[in-house]
Amino acid sequence: TNISGATSSTLARTQSVATYYRCAVTCASSTGFSNSVQMNMNSFLSCYCVAGNSSGCIFSDVINNVTFGTLNNTSGCTATPAYTDYGSSVSAPNITIGATTPISVTVGAGGTERVACWIDYNQNGTFETTEFTSIGSGNGSVVTNNIVVPPTAIAGLTKMRVRLRWSSTILNTDPCTTFSYGETEDYNVNLTCVSPTFTTQPAAS
């Protein structure tokens, strides 16, 4: 199918499914076609914004450890914008949909460090306000809270973002905001359904 208006030597186009393209060049009454090329779609796991911090974590405004289910990652932070995606290097924990799972974040001693996280429950590549949990605050301590995965969450691999910010409150609208001081870490998590249990009844006599 011809693309309306695609008559120049380059084309910028948005697609929602993997699509084949080819170029048709016409001279007088003759038309030649290039080989077809398929443009695939990236996984939604590659679509998240990079959330940074303009001054990084140079004053101990740092995430030292994240523990969530079987996820237990100890890390450091030296770079600006102090953002790391651990999705390919840290194994994803299995987190049960509809259940409450504790989370703990060890923070640096840079002052009042506020911590929050988002989990992309609907797997649309965006951290939404309804996917937000405020974990708490601390100074050189372990900050703990619980995350309740809603029963409407989609099962499968998705992304979790943990953010630390010095002093100021982290809002549910801040998954992509640039903070002055702090750190951001992304992880993959695998949302799983509750396994059904069955009981047997004695046969009637």
Side-chain angles (χ1 to χ4, degrees), residues 67-87:
T67 300
F68 185 50
T70 58
L71 188 158
N72 188 339
N73 185 52
T74 297
S75 62
C77 173
T78 56
T80 301
Y83 165 79
T84 307
D85 186 349
Y86 290 101

Side-chain angles (χ1 to χ4, degrees), residues 56-98:
C57 43
I58 57 175
F59 296 111
S60 297
D61 304 311
V62 58
I63 298 170
N64 288 319
N65 178 274
V66 174
T67 300
F68 185 50
T70 58
L71 188 158
N72 188 339
N73 185 52
T74 297
S75 62
C77 173
T78 56
T80 301
Y83 165 79
T84 307
D85 186 349
Y86 290 101
S88 61
S89 59
V90 175
S91 296
N94 292 326
I95 304 298
T96 303
I97 295 171

Side-chain angles (χ1 to χ4, degrees), residues 41-194:
M41 298 293 293
N42 284 336
S43 164
F44 71 92
L45 293 171
S46 302
C47 295
Y48 298 96
C49 59
V50 174
N53 306 276
S54 59
S55 298
C57 43
I58 57 175
F59 296 111
S60 297
D61 304 311
V62 58
I63 298 170
N64 288 319
N65 178 274
V66 174
T67 300
F68 185 50
T70 58
L71 188 158
N72 188 339
N73 185 52
T74 297
S75 62
C77 173
T78 56
T80 301
Y83 165 79
T84 307
D85 186 349
Y86 290 101
S88 61
S89 59
V90 175
S91 296
N94 292 326
I95 304 298
T96 303
I97 295 171
T100 298
T101 303
I103 185 171
S104 66
V105 180
T106 305
V107 303
T112 301
E113 310 294 352
R114 302 186 185 275
V115 185
C117 78
W118 290 258
I119 297 177
D120 186 10
Y121 296 127
N122 61 6
Q123 300 182 16
N124 68 348
T126 301
F127 295 116
E128 298 169 359
T129 57
T130 55
E131 299 171 331
F132 170 82
T133 300
S134 176
I135 299 174
S137 63
N139 182 7
S141 60
V142 180
V143 182
T144 61
N145 207 330
N146 293 313
I147 293 181
V148 182
V149 178
T152 54
I154 298 174
L157 199 66
T158 191
K159 189 71 73 178
M160 175 177 74
R161 170 160 295 175
V162 180
R163 303 205 71 184
L164 176 147
R165 184 182 195 181
W166 172 72
S167 184
S168 300
T169 301
I170 301 175
L171 304 177
N172 61 5
T173 53
D174 284 331
C176 305
T177 305
T178 298
F179 297 154
S180 295
Y181 300 97
E183 186 184 5
T184 302
E185 295 184 352
D186 284 356
Y187 295 92
N188 289 351
V189 296
N190 186 38
L191 302 182
T192 61
C193 297
V194 177

